[in-house]
Structures are given as structure tokens and as C-alpha cells.
Amino acid sequence: MMSNISNEELKEIKRYLPDYKKLIEQDDSLLESGKYKKIFISVFDHWLTNEEANEMIFVDEDLNELKARRKKFKMVAEELHKATDIYFWKYKRNYRIVLQKPINNKDVLRKCDFDNLWSQSGRRYTLILPKYSAIYSEEWDWTNIIWYTDEKKILPILKIAENAGLNILK
């Protein structure tokens, strides 16, 4: 179950993540303005060529590899939930963004739905991490994005990703 957030929590999010709504929508103008940067978390240790991508992204028939990849991203979400407050978002009427907070780890796992993660799923979850001034978003190709303002603040996220067996790509 998700809970609604307090006004104090909303103020904190706005303070640490100005323009968080644009970040949620992945508005690249925030990059151009220099306000935010992004870094990538991936199962791959380098950017794939087109040929490599065709061979390495689509592993849905290899159940062992699929489960191994899911486990890595699941571990990141679980460790982030232990380390800090996580918030999720959803659209309400008229595309109004509403923020919610998971009550426990089961809520995080239910929202992220790692058991159904596959090579072409993506953008199903976004973790809003005000403590780190960052937003962590799932992408479709086994590579997730961290939008951030200060690289020093996201070092704990990067450490969690590396401990889970994921790679940092810039």
C-alpha cells in the first residue's frame, strides 16, 4: 500500500529536486540548462554497438540470464529503500502528478514489478530520491538513468549499483 505524502515531504522534494515534474517526464531541457546531469546504470560494462545490442539486449528466452538481470535491479531498489526515503509518482486527472510513499519494501517491489522485467519493458517505475537530489528511472534496454544535481550526493546510489553487479556508464 502506498501512502500520501505530507506537505513537509513535498517541500523537501521541491527543495532538493527543483523541477522534479520535468525530470519525471525526462525533459532534456534540464540537461541543456545545466541544472541536471544524467548517468546510466547498466548490466553492460560499455555502450553497445548496434550488432552487440541485437545479441545482448534480447535475452528473454534465456531464463537464467533474465533472472540474473532482474535480481541486480531488484537489489538496487531494495538497498535504496533501506538507505533513504523513496517516493513514486502517478498521473491523476488532467495529467496531474501525485507523489506517494511506499509503506514497506513489499510496496517497492510491487510497484517495480521485477518479476515481469524483460528486455523491452521500461519506464514502469521511477524512484524519487530527495536525499540524493536524484531521480532513478527504469529504461527498456537493461540500462537505467539517474538524473542528478551533484555527483557527490549520488555516490551511495552508484555504490549500491556496483555492489549489485551493475555498471556505471557516462
Side-chain angles (χ1 to χ4, degrees):
M1 179 187 290
M2 299 282 182
S3 69
N4 292 327
I5 65 170
S6 69
N7 286 334
E8 198 58 43
E9 288 171 308
L10 183 57
K11 285 178 188 175
E12 181 180 326
I13 290 167
K14 288 178 178 179
R15 183 173 67 234
Y16 290 113
L17 290 164
D19 295 319
Y20 74 92
K21 291 179 182 180
K22 287 183 179 179
L23 279 179
I24 287 170
E25 295 171 344
Q26 298 190 354
D27 183 342
D28 281 334
S29 70
L30 293 172
L31 293 173
E32 294 163 10
S33 72
K35 196 179 247 185
Y36 285 91
K37 299 175 189 92
K38 61 182 174 179
I39 195 166
F40 303 86
I41 306 295
S42 180
V43 297
F44 308 114
D45 63 358
H46 64 282
W47 290 109
L48 303 179
T49 64
N50 287 339
E51 188 175 294
E52 288 174 319
N54 288 331
E55 294 174 22
M56 297 172 73
I57 290 176
F58 305 102
V59 296
D60 302 328
E61 302 301 318
D62 183 346
L63 194 55
N64 290 332
E65 180 63 22
L66 190 62
K67 285 182 179 181
R69 291 180 182 187
R70 289 173 174 168
K71 183 179 177 182
K72 291 175 183 182
F73 287 109
K74 180 179 179 182
M75 189 180 305
V76 170
E78 289 176 321
E79 292 301 315
L80 284 172
H81 182 255
K82 288 178 192 175
T84 189
D85 288 330
I86 290 177
Y87 299 90
F88 290 105
W89 69 275
K90 68 179 183 177
Y91 282 120
K92 285 279 197 163
R93 277 186 236 127
N94 300 320
Y95 293 101
R96 187 172 48 97
I97 292 177
V98 175
L99 302 180
Q100 295 181 314
K101 185 176 180 179
I103 293 175
N104 55 42
N105 195 48
K106 287 182 182 179
D107 292 339
V108 173
L109 298 179
R110 187 178 312 111
K111 176 71 176 175
C112 296
D113 195 18
F114 292 105
D115 291 335
N116 289 313
L117 184 64
W118 59 297
S119 62
Q120 292 189 56
S121 63
R123 296 196 177 178
R124 293 178 307 158
Y125 66 87
T126 297
L127 309 177
I128 300 169
L129 308 165
K131 177 181 174 183
Y132 302 125
S133 296
I135 292 184
Y136 179 100
S137 299
E138 178 197 15
E139 289 298 308
W140 71 272
D141 59 355
W142 303 108
T143 301
N144 292 345
I145 300 174
I146 299 173
W147 297 75
Y148 66 95
T149 58
D150 181 350
E151 193 163 1
K152 289 178 186 173
K153 287 185 178 181
I154 65 164
L155 291 176
I157 302 171
L158 302 180
K159 185 71 173 163
I160 287 170
E162 288 173 341
N163 289 343
L166 295 168
N167 301 288
I168 311 304
L169 303 176
K170 295 182 179 187

